[in-house]
Amino acid sequence: MREAVVGPGAPPHGCIGAFFDVDNTIIRGASAFHLAVGLYRRGFFRRFDIVRFALHQARYLVFGENKQQIDELRSEALAIMRGHSVAEVAVIAEDVYDEVLTLRIYPGTRRLLDEHVAAGHAVWLVTATPVEVGELIARRLDATGALGTVAEHRDGFYTGRLVGDLLHGEAKAAAVRALAEREGIDLASSFAYGDSAHDVPILSLVGHPFAINPDRRLRRHAADVGWPVREFRARRRATRRSINAASLAGLAWVAGLVARAVRRSLADRP
């Protein structure tokens, strides 16, 4: 059974767009976390930094998005990236996609995205993740492009500051409105897909919103306003078990890192 009807016909004014959130909509978990792990393995981060990112990923899998946590991690990540080469990070991101992200794509969402591409729609990923990661995923999935958070860089190196604000919540909606005006996209005939209550602003912009793998608040909102819900995870009970298992595994990994660090510290004492 098809999850959504994606028609090839053009609207009376402008073209049709399809806007996809990334984390937990296309990819299970937070894509930026997996990039952080890849950077850590190449010496970008301290052990303490990756422990914090791992704890955030575990909370995200269990409870969904939390804007305050996202803002805190954004500030820390920007500080860590200061002075690093944009080209180097781009190469690492390619490796992370091949090694990890491609295995975490929800097949159901991928089918929807492919249907929009085949129908000739303008397919855009819209994410709080760094725009370089969003563009990489869009390129690999044959999407039109990506809107994401922009980290400032000069002469090919990150400065540790943002251009504009984190692309999240209302900022996503503003970016999509600007894109639609620039590209001639008819939002009333367009589609949007998101997993979080924070995606309500972008879902509310289009004529065909869909809640994908929704968190509790988005599921309630979708029921209230009559938005279709699509669940591409396993059965919800099994999903909760797998999420809890993934979170516990992440926490166990964090505990292992801390324990090893403590052992090394004790071993180095006279």
Side-chain angles (χ1 to χ4, degrees), residues 28-124:
R28 179 165 54 88
S31 53
F33 166 74
H34 299 293
L35 175 62
V37 172
L39 294 171
Y40 167 73
R41 289 173 177 166
R42 292 160 178 85
F44 274 61
F45 298 154
R46 300 166 299 166
R47 181 177 289 106
F48 176 76
D49 298 318
I50 202 65
V51 165
R52 283 185 56 80
F53 292 143
L55 289 169
H56 169 68
Q57 169 77 344
R59 286 195 301 266
Y60 180 59
L61 285 170
V62 176
F63 301 113
E65 292 181 350
N66 179 301
K67 189 175 186 302
Q68 181 179 351
Q69 292 171 3
I70 289 172
D71 288 343
E72 290 172 359
L73 285 166
R74 174 203 65 182
S75 299
E76 293 177 11
L78 285 169
I80 290 167
M81 294 307 296
R82 185 184 299 119
H84 285 290
S85 162
V86 175
E88 182 182 9
V89 172
V91 170
I92 294 170
E94 294 274 357
D95 291 342
V96 169
Y97 183 91
D98 291 334
E99 295 167 4
V100 180
L101 297 185
T102 188
L103 303 176
R104 303 177 72 87
I105 294 173
Y106 288 111
T109 312
R110 178 65 192 267
R111 285 193 299 272
L112 282 175
L113 191 150
D114 288 344
E115 287 181 0
H116 284 292
V117 171
H121 299 165
V123 179
W124 287 84

Side-chain angles (χ1 to χ4, degrees), residues 152-260:
E152 182 184 70
H153 50 83
R154 292 180 182 171
D155 301 322
F157 293 87
Y158 289 106
T159 66
R161 295 185 294 271
L162 286 183
V163 177
D165 199 3
L166 184 75
L167 201 69
H168 193 260
E170 292 289 349
K172 277 188 178 182
V176 168
R177 280 193 294 266
L179 175 72
E181 183 175 353
R182 186 171 70 248
E183 300 292 328
I185 295 173
D186 182 357
L187 291 176
S189 300
S190 294
F191 298 73
Y193 304 89
D195 74 288
S196 165
H198 297 293
D199 293 320
V200 167
I202 185 175
L203 293 171
S204 300
L205 281 180
V206 301
H208 306 286
F210 288 82
I212 304 293
N213 307 326
D215 63 18
R216 187 174 303 171
R217 287 187 297 162
L218 179 57
R219 189 176 294 274
R220 284 200 303 264
H221 183 81
D224 290 342
V225 300
W227 290 346
V229 173
R230 299 293 180 261
E231 184 62 68
F232 293 139
R233 297 168 292 194
R235 287 180 303 175
R236 295 190 67 199
R237 183 177 299 176
T239 298
R240 282 196 295 270
R241 286 199 300 266
S242 65
I243 286 176
N244 288 339
S247 302
L248 289 172
L251 291 172
W253 177 65
V254 169
L257 285 176
V258 173
R260 286 196 295 273

